Amino acid sequence: LLQSQGRLVSLLYRRDAPPSQQSPPTAVLAAQLGVWGFRRDELTRCLKPPPALYKFVNVRQLQALAAHGWFDMVLVSVWFWSDPAPAFAEMVMPTLRAHSPAHKQPFVSLLVDDAHAVRAARLATGETDAATREGYERQAATLLPRLRSLYALADVVSHVSAEDQRADRALFPDVRRWLLLRTPIRVMRALPKHAAAPHRQFGHTRHVGFLGNGQTATNHQAIQWFLSECWPSLRLAYPTMRLRLVGRPPGSKTNSSGVVRCEAASSPEVAHCGWAWGTPYAGVEAANGIDELGFYSADALLDEALSWRIFVAPIHATTGINTKLLLALELGVPIVVSTAAALPLDLAAPSHAAAATAATAVAADATATAANTTAAAAATL
């Protein structure tokens, strides 16, 4: 959209993903931005005018980029993945304001996906590891003044979901301007435009699907809860049922050779080591119908999702949009979803998704949905 309006677009990013997980690959991204003569070895030294691709090195690099006054508008995502270390936005915003020329101050929009202080409080409520729970409680308290300072430096605070914005508006009434982002769902399609309806196997398998990065607390808490509270009754009803977990397992590390999983048997002291941590299934996942599949490419994910009998999203500690639901909706896979995950997508009273909160309700809905092979029709996106 910005390019179609004649804007020169640059991107500053913080970390490289392994080449097999880059979507799109760095060179393709550079081409999409219109960066010609791209050289990967120049990323960390690049101080070229837009359009350009920059890899973050240090605050001095940010100061130099800001001082040139090249940017009319800056979009900054707000995340706290490395908390209690400063968020990237907490480094960018004061540097940008202090070092941009006085007559060339850019218009800055913060892009917020989650009401972060509220999310931390919800994570604390659902956490079973005492030390981790104390960390979330501290985070919930410290994020309030940090977000207040961050929002004060922005021209506008933009949220992905109305649920997030309602929560933040109540906490930060002094923000000068709010915007609600609206992204067309069609840009998140898994299938090509006008593609024929794929062959779905959900009436012929015992696969229960889940999609999510296990490094993200909302995901690993959801699966720990589901395995503890719902999986026993599901396996009792369907002994051959298998839970198919797509995404990097909790506690895994990334190095130059790829993803190294955290093994519960050899690391019993590590909290959230593997998807089944804190449940009776830790270390004996496969024998109990739990398949940790790891990261999948787009094509492999599509093949896997078409085999799901149902898709579960038992997310409780969330305020934002769970985009994982869009894949199942597009493919017409029956969904069992928590009320917290359903609300931001207006699925509170869905026709082809069961929304529930209590463990007994989720388990009952999953069992009933699994038994009904005609539970869903493909959603029109």
Side-chain angles (χ1 to χ4, degrees):
L1 176 62
L2 291 170
Q3 288 175 325
S4 70
Q5 296 175 351
R7 298 282 185 177
L8 301 178
V9 182
S10 298
L11 176 68
L12 171 69
Y13 73 98
R14 192 169 186 180
R15 295 189 184 97
D16 279 312
S20 63
Q21 297 184 23
Q22 292 178 3
S23 179
T26 306
V28 175
L29 176 59
Q32 291 174 346
L33 292 171
V35 181
W36 307 117
F38 169 75
R39 289 178 53 188
R40 189 176 186 85
D41 61 340
E42 291 184 346
L43 277 172
T44 56
R45 304 193 306 272
C46 180
L47 288 176
K48 294 179 179 178
L53 185 60
Y54 313 104
K55 182 179 178 181
F56 174 73
V57 180
N58 52 39
V59 173
R60 289 193 299 275
Q61 176 199 32
L62 296 178
Q63 293 171 348
L65 285 171
H68 283 290
W70 286 330
F71 308 109
D72 301 313
M73 179 173 64
V74 178
L75 310 177
V76 183
S77 297
V78 179
W79 297 103
F80 293 91
W81 296 125
S82 301
D83 193 72
F88 191 50
E90 292 177 296
M91 293 186 282
V92 171
M93 291 299 293
T95 304
L96 194 62
R97 288 307 190 201
H99 292 273
S100 295
H103 65 289
K104 287 280 290 181
Q105 285 284 317
F107 181 91
V108 180
S109 173
L110 293 176
L111 308 180
V112 186
D113 180 13
D114 263 328
H116 291 283
V118 175
R119 176 180 179 271
R122 291 181 180 178
L123 285 171
T125 300
E127 182 54 57
T128 59
D129 178 68
T132 307
R133 181 171 59 252
E134 290 174 5
Y136 289 137
E137 291 169 346
R138 286 193 301 271
Q139 185 185 55
T142 60
L143 282 181
L144 289 171
R146 290 167 65 185
L147 284 166
R148 187 173 292 111
S149 298
L150 197 57
Y151 288 0
L153 293 170
D155 295 289
V156 62
V157 177
S158 305
H159 284 82
V160 173
S161 84
E163 288 292 310
D164 292 332
Q165 191 161 105
R166 275 193 286 270
D168 267 1
R169 277 178 179 264
L171 292 172
F172 308 105
D174 297 330
V175 169
R176 65 186 77 176
R177 186 180 179 192
W178 303 91
L179 282 180
L180 186 59
L181 301 176
R182 282 290 180 255
T183 301
I185 291 179
R186 63 179 178 273
V187 305
M188 301 182 189
R189 285 179 180 269
L191 299 172
K193 191 175 182 180
H194 305 308
H199 175 63
R200 292 168 290 159
Q201 305 172 51
F202 65 76
H204 309 284
T205 76
R206 288 288 189 269
H207 289 179
V208 175
F210 177 83
L211 172 64
N213 184 353
Q215 305 294 90
T216 303
T218 49
N219 288 328
H220 66 234
Q221 276 195 9
I223 293 302
Q224 181 187 348
W225 178 85
F226 183 77
L227 289 175
S228 298
E229 304 295 337
C230 307
W231 193 236
S233 59
L234 279 169
R235 285 278 285 179
L236 184 63
Y238 295 100
T240 59
M241 182 173 278
R242 302 201 69 83
L243 179 60
R244 308 278 286 178
L245 300 168
V246 180
R248 184 182 298 175
S252 57
K253 305 294 182 183
T254 304
N255 59 26
S256 57
S257 60
V259 176
V260 179
R261 297 187 179 221
C262 180
E263 299 294 341
S266 58
S267 306
E269 76 288 352
V270 178
H272 298 293
C273 178
W275 284 111
W277 179 89
T279 76
Y281 309 115
V284 287
E285 292 88 349
N288 288 279
I290 303 162
D291 299 323
E292 298 190 352
L293 304 175
F295 176 85
Y296 269 8
S297 66
D299 290 340
L301 174 59
L302 181 58
D303 288 341
E304 170 64 28
L306 289 170
S307 78
W308 294 340
R309 191 179 186 90
I310 60 173
F311 176 78
V312 292
I315 313 289
H316 293 99
T318 185
T319 59
I321 289 177
N322 286 271
T323 54
K324 56 174 63 66
L325 292 169
L326 299 179
L327 177 64
L329 287 170
E330 180 180 1
L331 299 179
V333 177
I335 298 171
V336 176
V337 58
S338 66
T339 302
L343 281 174
L345 285 172
D346 293 327
L347 293 176
S351 58
H352 57 283
T357 301
T360 51
V362 171
D365 285 334
T367 303
T369 307
N372 182 1
T373 60
T374 60
T380 300
L381 301 184

